[in-house]
Amino acid sequence: MSKNLVIVESPAKAKTIEGYLGKDYKVASSYGHVRDLQKGNNAIDIENGFQPTYEISKDKKDVIRDLKKLAKGAETIYLASDDDREGEAISWHLQEALKLDKSKTKRIVFHEITKNAISKAINNPRTLNVDLVNAQQARRVLDRLVGFELSPILWKKIKTGLSAGRVQSVAVRLVVDREREIDGHTAVSSFKITAEFSLEKGKVLNAELPSKFKTKEEAESFIKDCVGASYDIRNLEKKPGKKSPAPPFITSTLQQEASRKLGFSVARTMSVAQKLYEAGKISYMRTDSLNLSDEAITAAKNEISSSYGDNFVKTRKYKTKNASAQEAHEAIRPTNFSHRTAGNDDSEVRLYELIWKRAIASQMAEAEIEKTVASIGISTRKENLVATGEVVKFEGFLKVYTESTDDENGESESKGMLPPIEIGQALALGEMKAREGFSRHAARYTEASLVKKLEEMGIGRPSTYAPTISTIQKREYVVKEARDGHERKYAEIILENDQVTTHSMTEITGAEKNKLFPTNIAMIVNDFLVDYFPNVIDYSFTANVEKEFDEIAHGQKTWNTMIESFYGGFHKTVETTEQVERSEIGKVRELGDDPATGKPIIARMGKFGAMVQMGETSEDEEAEKPKYASLRKGQFLDNITLEDALELFKLPRDVGEYEDKVISIAIGRFGPYIKHDDKFISIGKDEDPMTLSLDRAIELIKAKQEADAPVAFYEELPVQKGVGRFGPFIKWNNMFINVNKRYDFDHLTEGDIVELIKEKIQKEIDKVIHNWEDEGIVVEKARWGRSVIKKGRVKIELTKTVVAADLSLDEVQAIIEKNAPAKKKKTTTKKATKTKKK
């Protein structure tokens, strides 16, 4: 037994650290949090200062048992979870759950996994910081109170299964507000004047008018005035300038730049960064500090000097603007600047390279730029055209790295060098053009720009951005997708060879890629929360809550006092809102009447999402039932028109027959489809269900029939082939059988198919430990050495310590009775329950 026990969060980290510390140290992992708030309504004692009740997570009981054994034999226990509030809370929960002797328990922190950093941490231990623990505890308790009291209100008043959260609901509101801002935008046209001048040796000088014309008539007048005009260089001005590098990455800027440059989602960025950190390649990746240690700055300086020269070095110390940032932390950087590449796969290599370049560039000299501006006079007009060029005189940090931006206009600012010109030089006009352009609406959020907005508003912290953005997508409040653009006409007025011509042109505009779109349910939930819980979803309130967490972390405020100041008004609103009629909530818009039948048409939320309804619901069974149609992607209850709704009612439509069966086209929960012979065939994104022809429908039906056709028969049952999420498979007797690489999937023989089916049948037989058919109970082998009990829809996974083969029927029934889910009860807090009893 080792004299010293070090407990870290992840097994990957444990392996790396144990290699640095040697034989006197045993490094074990807690696999993250080991305790959490008790499930159900009794987790928080509201009447007694919001005291939480914690329990060891089911999947961590074995971990706690093993750690207790190791701790019992150790002279000193080092709690080495991450150096942030979450990490401090993990260490505190470990101390409580393991019942550690405080006299032999020490807390250590490090910001990188290197031998030097680990040794330094071991030699400089500290005690647990209770203020940091309380800040995390306050966040957890507040979020539980909000979630547990708000979500049931949403279930009752809007739709079962919805959820609300303090930060996630604000993130959804940002996306909803942006969508409505876009919907309310009216594009305003203007005309931009550009000109090309022909120079000697085939060179071209491009220029433009600095201001735009508001109307076509003004632009046309300008162009006509330039017929027969002469042009010359009136002024030539050179302006020296400098560009400075961006600071090293913090969590939010890494997420943004990885999205722009590498196309990574926020969640993927954090997952890959975690692996690099655990492997000892980068410093801690959850940080809001721009600080770099003196050791890191020196290492960067040496690398720059040896690779590029001393004139490329410029030492900088960045000051974090965020007052609550922990300056003891560092920005994200490589642990060894001499390693230009690191990582075990392509994602890790690319992200590491990005971090290396950004950190190195932050310690490099400014780039020196020379900007040249030429003013071009027009003999017939008072305005001057302007040509601009840029030349890099000294690369500086640009040698390594250029920061990307969220370019909302799609226009690049980079300009090349101007061709040789001089003041007084006459210019020959090649072409002048007035092109109609349109004002753009605000850009929809990407994951990266949403992170940026949340950070600017002071909402959330480095550790919350990725889970928040993942959650709102999993809950289907927000979808991330690409959408096609639409055609738009614009005008061009061209002057060439002293002739003016006007052209009507078309362009594709409004195409979106990897943007965040709100769903209809997001808009309804958002409006409900804004109306009834304005504090919870208010931007400034949510930011102020973060500041209060900071005050708790610095020992300036008591955590349960902060919760109490929020909860009283919040709970009162919950009780009031319970009295609101469901019919008063949600969008029910009267769109008008159907011209053909005179029946009213409304838009509303239905069981399966947003829809339009033609006709009224009646309790009279003899009455004609209403017709319903689901909204299509990109349509919102907010703005759907009567004309849009009438188009939707054109579906389902019969397009003809095939094999003596009617073919109909409709739209369902999962998009447009063809129905034929009681079979459903999905229609691709590039097909329009409103115009899909009979011939094309038959093509799709034949393709589906061919795909579903049996490739063989086994025991008189058909065998089909397919490719799914996990690769190629065959389907037989409702069993999906994976086809691994040792088989040629495109040329499976009858022998291959029989072998695959027999192996699958044997695997299913081998899985069964007990089978009590009369009781409908099966006990099977599961993953990771565990077993699982199945009865109907009940599925109970046993711990590794339970030997399933030794269980009797009575013992299994007792386990089912104890663990089977109880019937859903009304969710209330303790305080709410007591009020009702009174």
Side-chain angles (χ1 to χ4, degrees):
M1 188 71 74
S2 300
K3 289 192 293 184
N4 303 291
L5 173 65
V6 180
I7 305 176
V8 296
E9 291 175 49
S10 78
K13 196 188 295 186
K15 189 177 179 182
T16 308
I17 292 170
E18 195 165 73
Y20 292 141
L21 289 175
K23 62 179 182 177
D24 288 337
Y25 290 84
K26 169 67 180 174
V27 184
S29 171
S30 71
Y31 296 86
H33 271 287
V34 294
R35 294 201 312 177
D36 198 3
L37 289 171
Q38 193 180 68
K39 294 190 184 299
N41 302 328
N42 298 321
I44 301 165
D45 190 346
I46 293 165
E47 299 292 338
N48 293 296
F50 300 91
Q51 286 305 313
T53 300
Y54 294 103
E55 62 182 7
I56 295 168
S57 308
K58 279 186 179 179
D59 62 334
K60 294 297 172 67
K61 287 183 178 177
D62 291 348
V63 173
I64 290 295
R65 187 195 64 235
D66 294 341
L67 289 174
K68 276 184 177 178
K69 286 180 185 175
L70 293 170
K72 193 174 180 181
E75 292 177 12
T76 307
I77 297 109
Y78 294 93
L79 301 174
S81 50
D82 292 337
D83 187 18
D84 55 16
R85 294 171 197 173
E86 200 78 17
E88 205 71 18
I90 288 173
S91 284
W92 178 74
H93 282 297
L94 279 167
Q95 182 174 277
E96 298 292 309
L98 299 175
K99 297 181 172 57
L100 297 178
D101 182 347
K102 292 182 182 178
S103 65
K104 66 174 191 176
T105 303
K106 298 178 180 180
R107 172 80 169 111
I108 60 170
V109 294
F110 39 82
H111 306 123
E112 60 185 31
I113 302 176
T114 59
K115 188 168 185 177
N116 184 43
I118 302 302
S119 299
K120 193 174 179 181
I122 290 286
N123 294 326
N124 295 277
R126 61 170 172 82
T127 57
L128 274 168
N129 186 327
V130 179
D131 292 330
L132 291 180
V133 173
N134 285 338
Q136 192 275 342
Q137 188 163 242
R139 180 187 293 277
R140 189 75 188 89
V141 168
L142 182 62
D143 288 347
R144 168 63 75 90
L145 288 170
V146 170
F148 258 54
E149 296 207 10
L150 209 47
S151 295
I153 290 287
L154 296 179
W155 304 343
K156 292 177 203 169
K157 306 301 177 187
I158 300 176
K159 185 182 175 185
T160 305
L162 296 175
S163 72
R166 187 180 52 81
V167 176
Q168 80 172 49
S169 297
V170 173
V172 171
R173 184 180 180 183
L174 282 168
V175 178
V176 168
D177 285 355
R178 178 58 56 88
E179 192 66 33
R180 285 181 171 150
E181 182 186 344
I182 290 168
D183 185 53
H185 173 78
T186 302
V188 178
S189 71
S190 61
F191 284 78
K192 180 180 180 180
I193 307 293
T194 58
E196 288 183 3
F197 295 97
S198 302
L199 304 178
E200 292 180 354
K201 298 180 180 178
K203 293 186 180 295
V204 174
L205 178 65
N206 293 301
E208 64 182 51
L209 198 66
S211 57
K212 295 179 181 179
F213 292 111
K214 291 181 180 180
T215 65
K216 183 179 179 182
E217 290 73 25
E218 289 175 316
E220 202 166 27
S221 173
F222 179 90
I223 293 287
K224 286 179 177 178
D225 282 351
C226 292
V227 173
S230 59
Y231 308 87
D232 66 328
I233 303 292
R234 295 275 171 90
N235 191 34
L236 199 57
E237 188 179 3
K238 292 188 176 181
K239 300 176 181 177
K242 290 186 177 182
K243 287 184 179 179
S244 297
F249 284 129
I250 57 176
T251 303
S252 61
T253 53
L254 175 65
Q255 291 169 350
Q256 291 166 52
E257 195 72 338
S259 173
R260 298 183 195 112
K261 276 192 160 69
L262 309 180
F264 285 8
S265 68
V266 169
R268 183 181 176 190
T269 297
M270 296 312 291
S271 174
V272 174
Q274 179 82 36
K275 290 175 185 174
L276 288 170
Y277 168 64
E278 289 174 354
K281 303 303 180 184
I282 63 170
S283 58
Y284 191 49
M285 69 287 157
R286 291 188 183 91
T287 176
D288 48 10
S289 171
L290 296 173
N291 184 43
L292 287 177
S293 67
D294 291 338
E295 182 184 354
I297 289 173
T298 301
K301 178 182 175 182
N302 292 338
E303 178 63 22
I304 296 163
S305 184
S306 63
S307 297
Y308 308 109
D310 292 340
N311 57 330
F312 278 85
V313 175
K314 181 167 182 180
T315 300
R316 291 182 183 83
K317 286 213 168 192
Y318 293 91
K319 187 68 180 170
T320 307
K321 293 178 184 177
N322 183 357
S324 64
Q326 301 177 66
E327 289 299 337
H329 286 184
E330 278 196 73
I332 304 168
R333 62 167 178 81
T335 54
N336 189 332
F337 280 96
S338 65
H339 294 167
R340 293 198 173 197
T341 185
N344 294 319
D345 59 36
D346 181 61
S347 294
E348 290 180 29
V349 169
R350 292 168 70 202
L351 190 66
Y352 177 85
E353 183 182 6
L354 190 66
I355 292 166
W356 185 91
K357 286 181 174 180
R358 177 85 164 217
I360 278 284
S362 75
Q363 300 303 309
M364 293 179 74
E366 292 95 345
E368 294 176 12
I369 311 293
E370 186 177 80
K371 191 174 183 179
T372 306
V373 179
S375 294
I376 301 167
I378 308 168
S379 62
T380 56
R381 297 282 301 199
K382 63 179 180 180
E383 298 96 338
N384 286 335
L385 297 166
V386 173
T388 308
E390 234 178 45
V391 122
V392 177
K393 305 297 280 185
F394 174 65
E395 283 182 295
F397 75 93
L398 294 177
K399 186 93 173 172
V400 173
Y401 180 81
T402 306
E403 184 182 20
S404 298
T405 59
D406 289 313
D407 180 20
E408 297 186 0
N409 295 322
E411 295 174 359
S412 173
E413 290 185 1
S414 60
K415 297 191 180 291
M417 187 177 177
L418 290 181
I421 49 177
E422 57 186 28
I423 294 175
Q425 180 178 340
L427 299 173
L429 178 67
E431 178 188 87
M432 183 178 288
K433 183 190 295 181
R435 188 189 193 280
E436 186 179 16
F438 298 86
S439 60
R440 296 172 181 267
H441 57 67
R444 286 184 175 88
Y445 288 108
T446 60
E447 285 192 356
S449 60
L450 184 56
V451 165
K452 184 179 181 181
K453 186 67 175 178
L454 288 168
E455 185 191 32
E456 285 173 356
M457 299 178 80
I459 295 167
R461 282 294 177 265
S463 61
T464 65
Y465 297 134
T468 295
I469 289 172
S470 296
T471 297
I472 63 177
Q473 291 179 63
K474 285 177 187 172
R475 301 288 186 191
E476 296 184 354
Y477 287 131
V478 169
V479 291
K480 181 174 77 171
E481 60 188 19
R483 291 191 182 172
D484 297 331
H486 58 274
E487 272 194 3
R488 178 173 66 188
K489 290 185 176 181
Y490 68 95
E492 273 190 353
I493 307 163
I494 297 173
L495 169 61
E496 191 172 16
N497 298 323
D498 280 342
Q499 297 293 316
V500 177
T501 55
T502 301
H503 306 273
S504 181
M505 314 287 285
T506 58
E507 63 181 351
I508 300 296
T509 184
E512 304 276 14
K513 185 179 178 184
N514 290 332
K515 295 293 179 69
L516 300 179
F517 295 85
T519 60
N520 277 288
I521 197 68
M523 291 184 162
I524 290 170
V525 170
N526 177 74
D527 292 348
F528 171 74
L529 294 176
V530 169
D531 287 344
Y532 293 96
F533 296 90
N535 269 8
V536 174
I537 206 166
D538 181 71
Y539 297 136
S540 58
F541 168 79
T542 310
N544 288 333
V545 167
E546 296 293 346
K547 290 177 184 174
E548 291 188 85
F549 289 149
D550 293 338
E551 289 170 6
I552 294 166
H554 292 115
Q556 298 164 352
K557 184 171 276 192
T558 308
W559 75 268
N560 39 14
T561 304
M562 176 255 178
I563 300 291
E564 187 175 13
S565 66
F566 161 82
Y567 182 74
F570 169 70
H571 181 68
K572 196 171 182 180
T573 306
V574 169
E575 291 181 314
T576 304
T577 309
E578 284 188 329
Q579 310 307 315
V580 177
E581 291 296 325
R582 184 169 183 162
S583 59
E584 296 177 33
I585 298 166
K587 288 264 185 292
V588 178
R589 289 182 58 229
E590 296 179 2
L591 305 181
D593 296 332
D594 175 29
T597 64
K599 291 178 180 179
I601 296 177
I602 62 169
R604 66 179 180 85
M605 280 301 294
K607 186 178 179 181
F608 300 113
M611 63 178 213
V612 286
Q613 174 183 324
M614 181 189 292
E616 295 177 347
T617 309
S618 172
E619 293 180 6
D620 183 0
E621 292 184 5
E622 301 293 320
E624 187 180 353
K625 292 183 178 178
K627 288 174 68 177
Y628 304 98
S630 297
L631 266 60
R632 299 178 69 178
K633 187 169 73 174
Q635 291 182 324
F636 292 107
L637 293 173
D638 271 23
N639 55 19
I640 188 167
T641 64
L642 178 62
E643 291 71 24
D644 296 332
L646 291 171
E647 282 294 312
L648 293 173
F649 284 118
K650 290 180 181 177
L651 297 176
R653 66 185 182 96
D654 295 342
V655 294
E657 291 187 359
Y658 174 63
E659 296 177 346
D660 297 327
K661 299 285 193 309
V662 174
I663 300 172
S664 61
I665 298 172
I667 293 181
R669 288 178 66 193
F670 306 107
Y673 64 87
I674 297 168
K675 184 182 178 185
H676 174 256
D677 195 18
D678 290 332
K679 291 185 173 60
F680 300 89
I681 300 106
S682 293
I683 298 175
K685 290 180 180 179
D686 53 340
E687 308 274 8
D688 184 352
M690 305 303 299
T691 58
L692 193 75
S693 68
L694 173 62
D695 290 342
R696 180 58 180 151
I698 292 171
E699 276 181 39
L700 293 170
I701 291 167
K702 284 181 177 178
K704 178 68 173 171
Q705 288 174 337
E706 191 176 326
D708 290 347
V711 294
F713 286 85
Y714 180 74
E715 293 184 352
E716 299 184 357
L717 293 174
V719 180
Q720 295 166 305
K721 286 170 67 174
V723 178
R725 285 178 62 197
F726 305 108
F729 65 86
I730 59 171
K731 182 185 177 185
W732 175 81
N733 197 21
N734 290 324
M735 286 195 300
F736 291 87
I737 304 161
N738 290 330
V739 179
N740 60 41
K741 290 181 180 178
R742 65 191 172 101
Y743 295 96
D744 184 350
F745 181 68
D746 293 329
H747 304 94
L748 285 176
T749 66
E750 187 177 343
D752 293 336
I753 290 168
V754 171
E755 186 178 10
L756 283 162
I757 293 172
K758 283 184 174 179
E759 282 180 5
K760 180 68 173 178
I761 292 170
Q762 192 58 48
K763 279 181 184 177
E764 293 299 311
I765 292 169
D766 292 344
K767 269 171 55 177
V768 178
I769 300 168
H770 296 294
N771 186 2
W772 290 289
E773 288 184 12
D774 293 342
E775 303 294 334
I777 298 173
V778 178
V779 182
E780 294 181 348
K781 291 176 185 174
R783 297 174 296 176
W784 305 304
R786 297 171 185 259
S787 301
V788 67
I789 298 170
K790 294 179 179 178
K791 182 177 181 181
R793 293 187 177 183
V794 176
K795 187 176 178 182
I796 302 160
E797 192 170 282
L798 304 172
T799 63
K800 287 183 182 178
T801 55
V802 177
V803 182
D806 296 341
L807 293 174
S808 67
L809 176 59
D810 289 342
E811 288 171 325
V812 170
Q813 286 176 326
I815 292 170
I816 292 171
E817 190 174 334
K818 183 180 177 182
N819 292 280
K823 288 182 180 178
K824 288 185 180 179
K825 294 180 181 178
K826 199 171 184 180
T827 306
T828 56
T829 60
K830 281 187 174 182
K831 188 168 184 178
T833 306
K834 289 180 181 181
T835 305
K836 286 179 181 176
K837 282 180 181 175
K838 288 176 186 178

